């Protein structure tokens, strides 16, 4: 069973930066598409960004984070990162990663069974 652990969240001022990590066990992330999702208080979970398997190397960002967030993969650490800059209050959410995603240059689709890890909380507040 794939196990993903999200970390790196915290409290940051507007305009600040954070780097989230998605560390994997029992799966080689190089061979998988990885998606980042987030769920703000009182809202539904939404797509944020994804990176396809290394063989295809496509990335996608939802419009609200384009130009501010960068997704990357460290094969040696079997970890995917989400570098977040110029953070806004509306980025406040619990962030989750998942391998149950189809990732292309023009979009991403969650194809899992609604099974998620604990996530990592990002709070953007002054």
């Amino acid at each position: 069973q794939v196990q993903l652990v999200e970390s790196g969240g915290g409290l940051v001022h507007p305009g600040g930066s954070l780097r989230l990590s998605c560390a994997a066990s029992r799966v080689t992330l190089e061979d998988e598409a990885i998606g980042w999702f987030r769920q703000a208080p009182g809202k539904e979970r939404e797509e944020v960004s994804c990176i396809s398997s290394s063989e295809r190397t496509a990335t996608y960002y939802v419009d609200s984070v384009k130009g501010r967030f960068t997704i990357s993969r460290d094969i040696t650490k079997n970890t995917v990162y989400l570098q977040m800059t110029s953070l806004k209050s509306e980025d406040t959410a619990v962030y989750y990663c998942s391998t149950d995603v189809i990732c292309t240059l023009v979009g991403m689709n969650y194809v899992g069974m609604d099974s998620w890890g604990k996530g990592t909380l990002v709070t953007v507040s002054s």
Side-chain angles (χ1 to χ4, degrees):
Q1 185 177 355
V2 174
Q3 186 173 15
L4 302 175
V5 178
E6 305 92 345
S7 64
L11 173 63
V12 63
H13 293 308
S17 300
L18 282 174
R19 188 179 76 163
L20 306 184
S21 299
C22 173
S25 60
R26 303 192 185 107
V27 65
T28 301
L29 291 187
E30 181 180 8
D31 301 330
E32 303 285 335
I34 306 298
W36 282 99
F37 301 79
R38 67 187 180 186
Q39 188 167 21
K43 295 186 178 181
E44 293 187 354
R45 204 183 319 262
E46 64 175 358
E47 303 160 349
V48 176
S49 176
C50 67
I51 184 167
S52 64
S53 64
S54 293
E55 185 177 314
R56 296 175 176 81
T57 316
T59 59
Y60 168 79
Y61 302 90
V62 68
D63 285 346
S64 61
V65 308
K66 202 171 293 183
R68 300 189 296 122
F69 291 10
T70 303
I71 192 169
S72 63
R73 174 176 19 226
D74 187 331
I75 297 172
T76 63
K77 296 183 178 179
N78 206 28
T79 298
V80 168
Y81 301 102
L82 186 68
Q83 178 69 49
M84 307 187 297
T85 64
S86 301
L87 282 162
K88 305 175 181 179
S89 58
E90 51 262 45
D91 295 317
T92 294
V94 178
Y95 285 70
Y96 304 87
C97 59
S98 175
T99 57
D100 295 326
V101 62
I102 296 174
C103 181
T104 70
L105 290 171
V106 296
M108 58 190 286
N109 286 304
Y110 178 68
V111 294
M113 299 294 288
D114 202 26
S115 176
W116 302 92
K118 294 182 179 181
T120 186
L121 175 62
V122 172
T123 303
V124 184
S125 175
S126 55

